Amino acid sequence: MLLGVNIDHVAVLREARAMNDPDILMAAYTAISAGANQITLRLHEDRRHINEDDIADIVRHSKVPVNVECSGGSELLEILVKAKPYRITLVPHSGEDCGLNLHSEQIASDIEFLQHSGVRVGLFIEPVREIIDMANDFNVRSIELRTGTYSALFATIRSNLAFTPHAIKAYNLPLDTLKSMLKDEISKLRHMSAYAKGLGMNVTAGGGLNYQNVSALVKNSEISLVNIGQSIISRAIFVGLENAIKEMKEVIK
């Protein structure tokens, strides 16, 4: 099981004071030194944290693959293709709590553009057989299964989330119902990861994963890598980034 570390939140902290502190490149170096198998970044249209200069610097100096996420569109993709990351993963627009809509003409156009550019293409999708089949029809060989539903259910059951202002109204259900839903979601992720691997795809996963919920997900699954960001950066506040990553590496073993 490999670990992709998303260091976007380091840049969020940097932009809070509009200064080069903390240094995003140093964060990448530290993550790699601690055992990160991949560096993941997200380029937003408004450059709210990571920008194209960050991406170019990290791609140039990283000794591990760099996976850059973006919501597509010609402007962003042309910038990213020039930086030549290991992979560009298409994701929904900010605020859309779901996987990609592969029926979109824009997505089809973005995939074609990236494939012609020679860059590896990834798709952030729901763990649904029909959607995986569509990704396969596009000849995309790498997918990231969305684990947001799994993570939200896990947190509602196993943490105090339900008693905070961030409680998820849709999950105001009996505990037995929530547990059954969680069990079904784990089963779906395991079966769909195996199905996608059977099609010859590289299967990764991400979305709300943390130190508490990741081990139950990756056990007996065909997921090869998990992308985790906020949980690691949050933990780093207390134990430092290197230790936070090493702890996560132990958890996913």
Side-chain angles (χ1 to χ4, degrees), residues 33-47:
S33 176
N37 305 106
Q38 173 178 281
I39 298 297
T40 295
L41 307 165
R42 170 76 185 268
L43 183 64
H44 288 272
E45 294 90 335
D46 60 4
R47 313 300 196 270

Side-chain angles (χ1 to χ4, degrees), residues 172-222:
N172 185 18
L173 299 168
L175 182 58
D176 286 346
T177 301
L178 291 171
K179 287 182 176 179
S180 178
M181 291 169 65
L182 179 62
K183 183 178 179 181
D184 289 345
E185 193 66 21
I186 293 175
S187 177
K188 180 167 65 173
L189 284 160
R190 286 177 179 165
H191 282 95
M192 290 301 99
S193 64
Y195 178 70
K197 184 177 180 181
L199 295 174
M201 292 181 169
N202 175 50
V203 186
T204 67
L209 297 178
N210 58 37
Y211 295 87
Q212 290 72 45
N213 65 27
V214 69
S215 60
L217 172 68
V218 301
K219 185 179 180 180
N220 300 322
S221 82
E222 297 295 347

Side-chain angles (χ1 to χ4, degrees), residues 10-24:
V10 175
V12 171
L13 183 58
R14 176 190 67 185
E15 295 305 308
R17 288 295 181 91
M19 300 177 68
N20 193 38
D21 185 23
D23 187 327
I24 192 71

Side-chain angles (χ1 to χ4, degrees), residues 13-178:
L13 183 58
R14 176 190 67 185
E15 295 305 308
R17 288 295 181 91
M19 300 177 68
N20 193 38
D21 185 23
D23 187 327
I24 192 71
L25 188 57
M26 181 59 70
Y29 283 146
T30 302
I32 295 167
S33 176
N37 305 106
Q38 173 178 281
I39 298 297
T40 295
L41 307 165
R42 170 76 185 268
L43 183 64
H44 288 272
E45 294 90 335
D46 60 4
R47 313 300 196 270
R48 66 188 64 176
H49 39 66
I50 295 294
N51 59 53
E52 46 264 61
D53 291 336
D54 296 328
I55 292 170
D57 283 346
I58 292 171
V59 169
R60 187 180 305 116
H61 294 99
S62 178
K63 294 180 180 179
V64 301
V66 178
N67 172 52
V68 183
E69 303 173 342
C70 79
S71 57
S74 57
E75 178 194 355
L76 290 181
L77 294 183
E78 287 174 4
I79 290 170
L80 293 181
V81 165
K82 291 178 181 177
K84 298 182 179 179
Y86 179 82
R87 179 183 297 110
I88 296 174
T89 299
L90 296 173
V91 299
H93 289 279
S94 300
E96 295 181 11
D97 190 19
C98 59
L100 282 168
N101 173 17
L102 298 190
H103 293 284
S104 164
E105 292 183 5
Q106 181 63 57
I107 294 298
S109 176
D110 290 342
I111 293 172
E112 183 179 14
F113 173 82
L114 290 175
Q115 289 174 332
H116 286 168
S117 73
V119 176
R120 293 176 179 84
V121 184
L123 300 176
F124 182 79
I125 61 175
E126 298 289 340
V128 175
R129 182 184 297 263
E130 291 76 13
I131 299 176
I132 293 171
D133 285 339
M134 288 189 68
N136 188 52
D137 290 341
F138 281 122
N139 198 31
V140 171
R141 308 326 303 157
S142 182
I143 58 172
E144 181 174 354
L145 297 180
R146 176 180 172 271
T147 56
T149 300
Y150 163 75
S151 299
L153 283 166
F154 191 101
T156 300
I157 296 169
R158 301 285 295 275
S159 77
N160 67 344
L161 176 65
F163 307 103
T164 73
H166 305 293
I168 302 169
K169 293 181 180 179
Y171 294 158
N172 185 18
L173 299 168
L175 182 58
D176 286 346
T177 301
L178 291 171

